[in-house]
C-alpha cells in the first residue's frame, strides 16, 4: 500500500474510534440519566407519602382543636343559659338550689 492510502486508513480508523468513544459516552450518560430519573421518582414518591402523613397529622390536630373550641363555646352557652334561667327565677321570686362546700 502506498503511504497516502495508509494515512487515509489511519485517519478513518481514528474517526471510527472517536465515534465509538462518543457512542460509549452517550450510552453511559443515557444510563446515568435513566438512573437519576428513577431515583427522582422514588424520592418524589417518598416525599409525597411524607407530605400525606404530615397532612393527616395536621388534620387530626385541627380536628382536636376544633373540638376544644366547640366544647368551650357550648360551655359558655350553658353558662349563659344558666344565668338567664336564674334571673328569670329570681324575677318570679324563686331560686336554684346551690350546694356549697
Amino acid at each position: 500500500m502506498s503511504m497516502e492510502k495508509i494515512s487515509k486508513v489511519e485517519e478513518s480508523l481514528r474517526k471510527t474510534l472517536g465515534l465509538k468513544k462518543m457512542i460509549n459516552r452517550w450510552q453511559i450518560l443515557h444510563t446515568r440519566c435513566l438512573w437519576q430519573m428513577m431515583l427522582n421518582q422514588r424520592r418524589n414518591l417518598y416525599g409525597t407519602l411524607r407530605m400525606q402523613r404530615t397532612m393527616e397529622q395536621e388534620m387530626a390536630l385541627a380536628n382536636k382543636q376544633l373540638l376544644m373550641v366547640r366544647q368551650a363555646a357550648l360551655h359558655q352557652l350553658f353558662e349563659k343559659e344558666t344565668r338567664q334561667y336564674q334571673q328569670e327565677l329570681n324575677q318570679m321570686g324563686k331560686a336554684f338550689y346551690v350546694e356549697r362546700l
Side-chain angles (χ1 to χ4, degrees):
M1 276 196 198
S2 70
M3 291 300 276
E4 288 179 25
K5 285 186 178 181
I6 292 175
S7 63
K8 286 182 181 179
V9 169
E10 286 177 351
E11 185 67 32
S12 172
L13 183 61
R14 273 191 234 119
K15 286 181 183 179
T16 305
L17 288 176
L19 288 174
K20 186 176 180 183
K21 286 181 183 179
M22 186 175 70
I23 289 171
N24 285 340
R25 280 190 302 244
W26 181 83
Q27 286 176 338
I28 290 169
L29 288 174
H30 181 69
T31 304
R32 285 183 184 168
C33 182
L34 290 175
W35 182 68
Q36 190 68 30
M37 285 173 45
M38 187 176 68
L39 285 178
N40 284 338
Q41 288 174 351
R42 283 186 182 168
R43 280 190 206 124
N44 289 340
L45 175 66
Y46 293 131
T48 303
L49 292 175
R50 188 171 44 252
M51 192 180 307
Q52 283 178 342
R53 281 194 305 267
T54 303
M55 284 176 32
E56 288 171 0
Q57 291 172 349
E58 287 178 1
M59 288 298 294
L61 290 175
N63 286 336
K64 284 182 184 178
Q65 203 163 22
L66 179 62
L67 179 64
M68 291 172 59
V69 167
R70 291 178 70 191
Q71 285 175 342
L74 187 60
H75 185 69
Q76 286 178 351
L77 179 64
F78 284 150
E79 286 180 359
K80 179 183 172 186
E81 287 180 351
T82 303
R83 283 191 304 269
Q84 183 180 356
Y85 190 54
Q86 281 180 340
Q87 287 175 356
E88 290 174 3
L89 288 175
N90 283 337
Q91 288 173 358
M92 294 187 319
K94 299 181 181 179
F96 270 141
Y97 172 74
V98 178
E99 184 178 342
R100 296 184 185 180
L101 299 175

